[in-house]
Amino acid sequence: RYLDGKTILWSLPWTAVTLVSALNLRALNWGADGGGLLAHLRYGLVYNLSSNVFDFLALCLICFLLALLETETLRREKRRFFLPGVLLAVLFAENTLIFQSPTKALENLIALPGCGIPENLLHWVAQLGSWYALSLCFFRWMSRPMEKGEGKEATAGQCLLWAAVILVLWLPVWILRFPGSIYSDTDVQILQFMGALPWEASNPLLLTLVYGPLFCLGRFLGGDNAGVFVCAAVQVALNLFAFSFACREVSRERGSRKAGWLLCLFFGLMPNFPSFAVSVLKDFIHAPLYLLFALYLRRCARGGERKDLCRLLILAVLCAATRKGAVYLVGICLLALAWLRLDRRKVLV
């Protein structure tokens, strides 16, 4: 209904904003240094048009289609300001700019190196506007009424199928990085378990007791590479369980298996996930545990059963035991849940 001439007209200036921002970010990544907004734009245009015209046209088309979707979303929404969408937009915008920065960092957490104030404002406006509109679009899609005839919870067999599909899509990355990669923190934990280094708590002790036996088992079976493989295989299995459970939750919430399959393909085709899963490091055991914690937190916030609360508390302990900073995050989440579930005066007393 909203995809009319007015939507297309309003999307054109937003297309220009996002396209200029994208070209300037490309210029920074291609070695442009100094000169300001117009100099970076000129550099990006010349480089694109001289190297690959089709790539430039594809970028223009993508910016236009995204602008069309974002404009249509904002016109459709009755409530234009939505705080969760704003918070997500800030989070995604900052991470996107960090990734696009030539130094992979921002000055004072807000400024791209080599960019003046006008150019930084342009990038922030483009990123915040795009991520906010896309967040609203996602919320709207997830809030649609359930499809007729659906609503059944996915079975264990369906979850195994999602996990198998994700694993198959991950195999090329795992084969290229076989048997996996191991980081210095994990090296220290394994050496501590083997008695080569004294035990200390700079890394989570629980994971020292996980990585150490797994590596020793693999080493006994086939050497050091086998030890790394066993550690990576356990991480992959944990990630597959968490991701397939997330597909199950989305499928149940939407009342449609299509949503579960869409999330399954996202986890399978995004190359970051297999790269993380086969990298033996505490972060990549903590991440799937925290995803499960967040899913059960949502269940409990919407009522849930006693067994959901028990699983939530177990996951809270595991999250805190696998990442020191998670103690504060998990604690805040549990306090917020108590505030929501119980009478506020009882909580304060």
Side-chain angles (χ1 to χ4, degrees):
R1 187 177 67 165
Y2 290 92
L3 193 58
D4 51 17
K6 186 178 289 188
T7 300
I8 296 173
L9 185 63
W10 276 105
S11 67
L12 292 178
W14 187 243
T15 302
V17 170
T18 54
L19 180 61
V20 170
S21 175
L23 287 171
N24 283 31
L25 288 173
R26 281 190 167 190
L28 287 173
N29 281 282
W30 288 335
D33 189 21
L37 190 154
L38 293 178
H40 289 160
L41 177 60
R42 187 165 53 249
Y43 186 99
L45 281 171
V46 170
Y47 198 99
N48 268 280
L49 293 174
S50 61
S51 59
N52 193 336
V53 177
F54 293 105
D55 180 61
F56 174 71
L57 294 175
L59 178 63
C60 293
L61 180 60
I62 291 171
C63 289
F64 174 69
L65 293 176
L66 282 175
L68 203 60
L69 173 63
E70 293 158 10
T71 305
E72 186 269 345
T73 298
L74 290 174
R75 289 195 65 202
R76 184 185 291 267
E77 286 295 324
K78 296 179 180 178
R79 182 175 56 177
R80 301 291 173 82
F81 179 80
F82 188 52
L83 184 58
V86 173
L87 296 177
L88 284 175
V90 172
L91 175 67
F92 290 145
E94 178 142 9
N95 278 276
T96 302
L97 291 177
I98 289 173
F99 179 76
Q100 291 293 333
S101 168
T103 61
K104 303 305 177 188
L106 298 180
E107 297 174 355
N108 300 320
L109 298 178
I110 57 172
L112 275 166
C115 295
I117 294 177
E119 192 169 0
N120 273 297
L121 285 175
L122 170 71
H123 294 318
W124 274 102
V125 167
Q127 293 295 328
L128 287 173
S130 294
W131 281 117
Y132 180 66
L134 291 174
S135 298
L136 291 182
C137 183
F138 176 76
F139 294 145
R140 186 183 70 192
W141 177 66
M142 289 297 293
S143 300
R144 290 182 307 166
M146 288 189 178
E147 298 179 14
K148 187 176 181 180
E150 298 286 350
K152 294 183 180 179
E153 187 169 345
T155 62
Q158 180 68 57
C159 292
L160 285 174
L161 179 59
W162 281 325
V165 170
I166 295 172
L167 178 60
V168 170
L169 294 174
W170 282 4
L171 281 178
V173 175
W174 199 358
I175 291 171
L176 288 173
R177 299 187 61 180
F178 189 84
S181 57
I182 192 166
Y183 287 77
S184 57
D185 285 351
T186 314
D187 285 336
V188 170
Q189 290 177 283
I190 291 171
L191 290 173
Q192 287 172 353
F193 179 82
M194 297 173 67
L197 290 175
W199 285 63
E200 42 87 21
S202 61
N203 292 303
L205 293 177
L206 175 63
L207 291 184
T208 302
L209 295 173
V210 171
Y211 285 131
L214 289 175
F215 182 84
C216 289
L217 173 63
R219 191 181 191 192
F220 174 76
L221 295 174
D224 289 347
N225 283 338
V228 175
F229 173 78
V230 170
C231 293
V234 170
Q235 281 194 179
V236 168
L238 179 59
N239 278 270
L240 289 174
F241 175 78
F243 291 162
S244 61
F245 186 78
C247 295
R248 177 185 181 181
E249 288 293 288
V250 170
S251 178
R252 185 177 72 165
E253 180 64 23
R254 283 295 312 123
S256 171
R257 300 284 174 84
K258 297 175 186 176
W261 278 109
L262 183 63
L263 188 60
C264 171
L265 292 176
F266 171 75
F267 287 139
L269 296 174
M270 183 67 71
N272 305 64
F273 293 120
S275 297
F276 293 154
V278 300
S279 301
V280 183
L281 184 64
K282 57 182 179 289
D283 295 11
F284 309 130
I285 281 187
H286 169 76
L289 290 174
Y290 187 76
L291 174 60
L292 292 170
F293 171 80
L295 293 171
Y296 273 104
L297 180 67
R298 183 180 179 281
R299 274 194 182 189
C300 293
R302 294 195 166 194
E305 303 176 8
R306 185 178 294 273
K307 64 181 181 180
D308 293 329
L309 182 60
C310 293
R311 291 168 182 170
L312 176 70
L313 295 176
I314 293 171
L315 287 166
V317 173
L318 290 175
C319 287
T322 53
R323 201 77 168 90
K324 292 180 180 178
V327 174
Y328 306 103
L329 187 57
V330 166
I332 292 172
C333 290
L334 293 179
L335 285 174
L337 178 63
W339 185 273
L340 178 67
R341 293 287 299 273
L342 302 177
D343 183 78
R344 296 183 181 182
R345 289 173 295 178
K346 292 180 181 179
V347 174
L348 291 174
V349 172

